[in-house]
Amino acid sequence: MTTILALLPLLLVLGLLASGRASALVAGLVGLSATLAASAVIVTGTRGGEVLAGLFLHETAAGSWLAWHVIAIIAAGMFFHRCQQARGAVANGGALEANPRRLWSVCFLLAPFAESVTGFGVGYIIALAALRRLGLNGMSALLLGLYSQSLVPWGALATGTTVGATLAGLTPNELGLSSALLQIPIHVLYLGLYWRFAREAGFATSFAQKVDDAIWTALLLGLLWLANRYTDVEIAGAAPTAFLLAVRFWRDERPDAARLKSALHANAPYVALTLALCATRLVPPLRDLLKPLWAMRPFEGQPAFAPLYAPGFWLVSIGIVTVWLARASLSRVLAETGRGAWRSCAVTLLFVVMAQFYVGSGMAETIAEALRAAAGRGSAMSVPMFAAVGGFLTGGGSAANAMLMPMVTALAHAITIDPAWIAAVQNSVCTNLTMLSPIRVSMGAAILALPAAESALYRRAWPLALPPLITGFAVILVLLA
């Protein structure tokens, strides 16, 4: 009975989203309400009713604090996006000729690079802006923009992978390297789906172009493995994408001095943002100064928030300068930000608090123990599903790994399966599934001002869940053999 109660909120959320009859906000409200009710019953039965009030207050506060880190990026990212709109045609850099080469560069290099540097869905914002320059709007842009999340194991300078490695007893580079190996089949499957989505968006891809795409994808995956093998995991996603992006720009655009200057001017806010974030994270004196400065950490085991180190500070600061230089109305930008960001911020809060209650109430451990008792070593097959649900609900590798990594590695030790590869499956599946998180989807719908777009997107985008899941299950089968 306890296991059924623990599973019920997850099943409700997944059923509502799959039905297409409920938005991510409604599914989050229902899921959190069911989680609170189930955890109250379980905690009262196992620990006594006297601890219920304390548990409720602690987990709500801890979940809200964890959600704040994501909400701060969503709101700041939305503000930054609106500031670029205030620049008008200059920010857009003018429309570009739409062709499959440019589309591949946006989906597999530009947007993943931005996500590797900033994280928390900022790459999605940049992807949508670039896709609109190629003439894509509506559902096609929303769908292809999800490829910004295809290298999320290294998103936000690999914070999720670092958290997961720490909890699994590995070094960040060990987990990054194994995750890079798993990313090879995941990316190959992503590429096949990309050609289908591109065709549906009106980008007919010839055989020669598919060969070109495949070669560049192989280069990306090879450099990703080398970067994880020989450099710090923090820049192992950003460095390969940045290098290939520069090479592709010279190959495809052949810019002269005037065009290069124009491109830099059109993308000046993005260049400034990238430089600021790289400097604050990769230059030791600056990083060591800002990271602890005024840092707040009210909960043990939760990430600290340093206001001058957080990406949101630089998004807002550069956005304000952009609005000032454009002589636009800051109050109008703020109002547009509020109207566009509130829904995705609310969805984030609901799902992260829900995930926190799964940990604090012991519901996650209850499900894992029931699976181990029922299936023995076969319970390892649940790891990809747990990872997928964690990434889907939280929208971030840090939160999902914090929630599930201790449980899955303990399960690996109990059933004598290599915990390092179990950790790699957990990390790879959960981070890749963040692309379908209601948090990401609702943010994209808000940016493109598409009402009730979540259910329509899920009906088209659900195959993107298959590459990480297929890879995860294949690895588990090999480990069990």
Side-chain angles (χ1 to χ4, degrees):
M1 183 63 180
T2 300
T3 304
I4 294 175
L5 277 175
L7 280 170
L8 184 60
L10 294 177
L11 296 176
L12 277 174
V13 169
L14 295 174
L16 284 171
L17 291 172
S19 71
R21 298 180 181 275
S23 67
L25 183 61
V26 171
L29 284 168
V30 172
L32 179 58
S33 300
T35 302
L36 293 176
S39 61
V41 173
I42 292 172
V43 170
T44 301
T46 57
R47 308 184 208 174
E50 64 275 5
V51 304
L52 190 59
L55 175 76
F56 177 83
L57 292 174
H58 179 271
E59 301 307 326
T60 299
S64 299
W65 175 252
L66 190 59
W68 159 249
H69 290 75
V70 184
I71 290 171
I73 295 295
I74 292 174
M78 190 73 71
F79 174 76
F80 183 79
H81 172 71
R82 296 294 181 183
C83 291
Q84 307 322 302
Q85 289 187 326
R87 290 183 83 206
V90 174
N92 294 327
L96 290 174
E97 177 191 350
N99 62 57
R101 280 190 174 187
R102 287 194 173 113
L103 185 64
W104 187 93
S105 292
V106 168
C107 292
F108 286 87
L109 294 180
L110 174 64
F113 164 73
E115 188 67 19
S116 295
V117 173
T118 60
F120 304 102
V122 175
Y124 197 12
I125 296 172
I126 293 175
L128 293 176
L131 290 170
R132 292 171 98 173
R133 291 184 65 196
L134 294 178
L136 284 174
N137 281 289
M139 195 57 61
S140 293
L142 204 61
L143 180 60
L144 287 166
L146 293 175
Y147 276 84
S148 61
Q149 311 299 295
S150 61
L151 289 179
V152 174
W154 299 271
L157 298 175
T159 53
T161 295
T162 301
V163 168
T166 302
L167 294 173
L170 303 169
T171 67
N173 273 79
E174 286 174 334
L175 185 56
L177 188 61
S178 56
S179 298
L181 289 173
L182 296 188
Q183 199 64 35
I184 294 173
I186 292 173
H187 240 64
V188 169
L189 294 171
Y190 277 157
L191 183 60
L193 290 171
Y194 161 80
W195 287 327
R196 170 186 152 188
F197 296 145
R199 183 179 68 251
E200 292 173 351
F203 284 76
T205 307
S206 66
F207 177 77
Q209 183 58 49
K210 288 181 179 179
V211 171
D212 185 73
D213 291 346
I215 291 172
W216 282 86
T217 301
L219 285 172
L220 172 62
L221 294 169
L223 289 175
L224 184 69
W225 185 87
L226 289 172
N228 280 275
R229 178 68 176 82
Y230 295 107
T231 66
D232 291 337
V233 70
E234 281 194 337
I235 60 171
T241 49
F243 173 73
L244 291 180
L245 191 62
V247 175
R248 290 272 296 201
F249 178 71
W250 283 103
R251 187 198 74 163
D252 295 343
E253 307 299 333
R254 302 289 183 183
D256 54 20
R259 288 188 64 197
L260 183 59
K261 181 179 179 181
S262 175
L264 290 173
H265 180 247
N267 295 286
Y270 295 109
V271 173
L273 175 65
T274 301
L275 291 175
L277 290 169
C278 285
T280 55
R281 281 148 176 79
L282 302 179
V283 178
L286 192 58
R287 180 190 63 208
D288 296 341
L289 171 66
L290 295 180
K291 193 171 184 178
L293 187 62
W294 302 328
M296 296 170 283
R297 191 176 186 177
F299 297 96
E300 191 65 31
Q302 296 273 29
F305 183 81
L308 299 184
Y309 183 77
F313 171 79
W314 299 100
L315 285 162
V316 171
S317 299
I318 295 170
I320 289 174
V321 172
T322 300
V323 170
W324 178 70
L325 292 174
R327 301 182 184 276
S329 170
L330 182 60
S331 60
R332 180 178 177 180
V333 170
L334 288 171
E336 291 173 346
T337 300
R339 287 193 297 269
W342 77 268
R343 181 179 293 273
S344 51
C345 290
V347 169
T348 298
L349 180 63
L350 292 170
F351 277 101
V352 174
V353 173
M354 177 180 170
Q356 183 66 34
F357 266 93
Y358 258 84
V359 176
S361 66
M363 291 164 64
E365 289 81 355
T366 297
I367 297 170
E369 182 57 36
L371 286 169
R372 185 175 66 139
R377 293 186 85 238
S379 61
M381 296 298 291
S382 68
V383 172
M385 289 305 302
F386 274 120
V389 171
F392 176 80
L393 288 178
T394 64
S398 296
N401 277 334
M403 181 170 64
L404 295 170
M405 189 64 81
M407 181 182 68
V408 299
T409 51
L411 180 63
H413 285 291
I415 60 179
T416 63
I417 288 180
D418 187 355
W421 278 109
I422 290 292
V425 170
Q426 158 66 29
N427 186 55
S428 297
V429 175
C430 86
T431 49
N432 277 278
L433 258 293
T434 61
M435 70 164 55
L436 292 176
S437 168
I439 297 167
R440 293 289 179 272
V441 171
S442 61
M443 180 172 68
I447 289 173
L448 294 183
L450 298 175
E454 293 101 328
S455 59
L457 177 64
Y458 280 121
R459 283 195 293 271
R460 293 186 59 187
W462 69 265
L464 287 169
L466 296 178
L469 281 172
I470 290 172
T471 301
F473 283 124
V475 172
I476 297 299
L477 287 173
V478 171
L479 292 174
L480 290 174

